[in-house]
């Protein structure tokens, strides 16, 4: 920790002298000033009791980063390091008191942390009407974008879409991964901008174009994945087998090149395939609530998340994807609108496998 009590005052470790009387501002136990060669000055509990804010073993990166972030965010309000919030038993790494705005609590996350802990801390801040802002340290920079990151730390920022924030201690810059999207084939993508000043956030940048999708290449990939026994596809393939279908031979109308918020687990196309096959194999007439039920069931089967993440909701995205699928099926004259929902007209054709499609339909 960077801040300790001494004789009724908060003392910053950077300007502190050795003294036997330093106390933890949260639990009031004795803390000791440490001076390292690599690590800048910091306080640590003399004996680790059950202090709620103890962060012993704090890395040099975390100690430096907190100070850098306080400076970086300073144009937005009065910054404070390590504000203790006794009402929720939490301590914010950095705190911003903003004029005419909600206060902001910055959590500079450098160590591993589980979903539950992030959820509890986020809910704590929200309970006292503070905006929690998670900024990720080095260990997270190297990770490929994945659901675990998005689920715990992403939120929607006006103009920037769904975002993740990273702080680079060496370059002293904020990496903003914005417009997080899941491509139809499943990969999670973002547009990255490096911000050198916090006011850059007031000028949202557009999303860059996602790579184009080739459905023939995707069928080939599914074929290979199945040959290799990719366990992520097992439930999906078994569901289709029971209906006499083979995953890579999915009807063309079940494919799409659209991208969505990243709630689809294996991806939007696998979800469309399973919902599509159910629509045409279970009944001939569907009400709108029944289709919504299918959409949710399908999402579970492909490992998706209809509730969204800790800081963003998923329902709107799932409703949009269902509307897109039904529109595609209606446009292709496979479904027709009725008074209460939809009526099946024609069942889309499946190929025996991906190759047959390539031979007959998609190879030019
Ligand atoms: Zn303490």
């Amino acid at each position: 920790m960077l801040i300790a009590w001494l004789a009724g005052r908060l003392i910053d470790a950077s300007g502190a002298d050795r003294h036997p009387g330093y106390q933890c501002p949260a639990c009031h136990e004795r803390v000791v000033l440490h001076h390292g060669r690599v690590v800048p000055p910091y306080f640590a509990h003399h004996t680790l009791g059950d202090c709620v804010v103890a962060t012993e073993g704090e890395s040099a990166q975390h100690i430096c980063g907190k100070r850098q972030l306080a400076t970086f965010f300073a144009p937005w309000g009065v910054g404070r390091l390590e504000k203790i919030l006794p009402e929720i038993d939490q301590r914010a790494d950095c705190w911003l008191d903003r004029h005419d705005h909600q206060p902001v609590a910055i959590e500079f996350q450098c160590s591993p942390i589980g979903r539950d802990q992030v959820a509890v801390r986020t809910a704590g801040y929200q309970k006292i009407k503070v905006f929690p802002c998670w900024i990720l340290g080095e260990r997270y920079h190297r990770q490929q974008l994945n659901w675990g990151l998005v689920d715990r730390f992403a939120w929607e920022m006006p103009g920037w879409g769904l975002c993740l924030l990273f702080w680079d201690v060496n370059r002293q810059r904020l990496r903003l991964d914005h417009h997080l999207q899941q491509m139809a084939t499943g990969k999670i993508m973002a547009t990255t901008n490096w911000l050198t000043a916090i006011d850059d956030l007031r000028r949202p940048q557009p999303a860059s174009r996602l790579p184009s999708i080739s459905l023939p290449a995707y069928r080939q990939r599914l074929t290979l994945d199945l040959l290799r026994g990719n366990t992520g596809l097992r439930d999906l393939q078994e569901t289709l087998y029971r209906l006499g279908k083979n995953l890579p031979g999915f009807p063309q109308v079940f494919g799409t090149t659209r991208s969505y918020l990243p709630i689809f687990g294996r991806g939007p196309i696998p979800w469309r395939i399973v919902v599509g096959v159910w629509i045409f194999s279970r009944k001939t007439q569907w009400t709108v609530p029944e289709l919504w039920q299918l959409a949710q069931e399908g999402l579970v089967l492909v490992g998706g998340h209809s509730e969204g993440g800790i800081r963003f909701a998923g329902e709107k995205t799932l409703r949009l994807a269902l509307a897109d699928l039904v529109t595609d099926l209606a446009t292709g004259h496979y479904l027709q609108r009725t008074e209460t929902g939809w009526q099946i007209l024609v069942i889309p054709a499946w190929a025996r496998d991906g190759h047959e499609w390539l031979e007959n339909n998609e190879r030019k």
Side-chain angles (χ1 to χ4, degrees), residues 1 24-29 31 45 51-54:
M1 68 180 76
C24 168
C27 68
H28 301 287
E29 290 299 316
V31 294
H45 287 79
C51 177
V52 290
V53 301

Side-chain angles (χ1 to χ4, degrees), residues 12-26:
D12 189 314
S14 67
D17 298 317
R18 289 202 191 281
H19 193 286
Y22 291 121
Q23 288 176 305
C24 168

